[in-house]
Amino acid sequence: EDKVVQSPLSLVVHEGDTVTLNCSYEVTNFRSLLWYKQEKKAPTFLFMLTSSGIEKKSGRLSSILDKKELFSILNITATQTGDSAIYLCAVSPLDAGNMLTFGGGTRLMVKP
Amino acid sequence: GAVVSQHPSWVICKSGTSVKIECRSLDFQATTMFWYRQFPKQSLMLMATSNEGSKATYEQGVEKDKFLINHASLTLSTLTVTSAHPEDSSFYICSARVYGYTFGSGTRLTVV
């Protein structure tokens, strides 16, 4: 059974801090790993990672995948209160109809 | 970009009644839609995979007679919660597989 584990479960930091969120996975026939940010409603897409060692970057957010060690990290630098959200990691296998298996999420709170 | 429109955003219904949730792909054709359920402070759990023109595939533990899924066209998938009970109160989200897996805005169902 595919498994995605995120850590930490929750995190409280102050504005300006840098945070690293972790996602480890066990999945047969890995296709891709995706990161989402969820505030009050539906998740919004951040990154999709398919290749090891290639960092994806968007503003203060960046992410990288290690397919050998089966994990990914999401970094947020110079955090702002607007970064407060649940960050979800999901993996997509090659088969199984393209469905996503989600991790439990990391709840990030950024204090002013 | 790809947009999935989900309605209603929230619904309150009486116990024993049925509720229909719609997801429409606005600018693309979705042969497959995924339906998720999310309880407070928990991650998304896949309920079923909806395939246009064929029967949905349900995840283990999801009652197919209770959560009726119809995907009659390439742009519309519906989830009907039949004979809803308070324990069905949850956040329901649909998703289509385009790059990054586009999510609907979610439906918060409260059964009283």
Side-chain angles (χ1 to χ4, degrees):
Chain A
E1 187 181 318
D2 297 343
K3 196 170 154 186
V4 181
V5 178
Q6 289 185 247
S7 63
L9 289 178
S10 67
L11 192 54
V12 180
V13 300
H14 286 96
E15 272 192 316
D17 289 349
T18 294
V19 298
T20 299
L21 310 182
N22 304 293
C23 176
S24 63
Y25 62 90
E26 293 173 25
V27 63
T28 51
N29 297 319
F30 174 89
R31 182 211 303 263
S32 57
L33 184 145
L34 299 95
W35 283 97
Y36 293 88
K37 177 183 181 182
Q38 186 178 25
E39 295 171 271
K40 290 187 179 171
K41 287 205 167 181
T44 52
F45 172 75
L46 295 175
F47 299 110
M48 182 162 76
L49 304 157
T50 54
S51 302
S52 239
I54 299 173
E55 186 184 51
K56 290 217 173 177
K57 205 167 165 62
S58 175
R60 295 176 295 103
L61 276 66
S62 63
S63 184
I64 197 160
L65 175 68
D66 186 328
K67 287 167 78 172
K68 185 179 174 189
E69 300 297 329
L70 307 183
F71 78 91
S72 173
I73 59 171
L74 175 69
N75 275 322
I76 309 175
T77 58
T79 51
Q80 302 171 357
T81 54
D83 296 326
S84 297
I86 298 173
Y87 289 84
L88 296 165
C89 166
V91 293
S92 172
L94 277 170
D95 52 12
N98 303 315
M99 68 179 216
L100 293 177
T101 299
F102 280 87
T106 294
R107 185 177 293 270
L108 173 66
M109 180 183 290
V110 181
K111 291 188 170 180
Chain B
V3 176
V4 172
S5 174
Q6 183 171 347
H7 295 281
S9 296
W10 57 270
V11 58
I12 301 173
C13 70
K14 287 188 176 179
S15 192
T17 60
S18 294
V19 173
K20 183 188 275 189
I21 302 169
E22 291 189 350
C23 270
R24 292 180 185 274
S25 55
L26 295 187
D27 47 4
F28 66 99
Q29 293 182 331
T31 53
T32 301
M33 282 270 200
F34 304 96
W35 286 93
Y36 295 88
R37 181 174 183 176
Q38 186 176 33
F39 290 106
K41 298 187 180 179
Q42 291 188 29
S43 191
L44 283 77
M45 295 294 295
L46 181 68
M47 296 175 66
T49 302
S50 158
N51 299 297
E52 187 268 334
S54 64
K55 288 184 180 179
T57 305
Y58 290 81
E59 295 301 300
Q60 194 171 11
V62 178
E63 298 175 59
K64 60 183 179 184
D65 293 331
K66 181 165 186 65
F67 298 100
L68 298 179
I69 289 174
N70 185 282
H71 196 150
S73 79
L74 287 170
T75 58
L76 175 64
S77 175
T78 61
L79 167 68
T80 301
V81 183
T82 62
S83 187
H85 290 285
E87 57 266 30
D88 298 324
S89 298
S90 189
F91 190 54
Y92 294 87
I93 312 178
C94 64
S95 168
R97 192 187 179 276
V98 292
Y99 183 86
Y101 289 77
T102 298
F103 285 84
S105 54
T107 298
R108 187 163 302 282
L109 170 64
T110 302
V111 185
V112 298

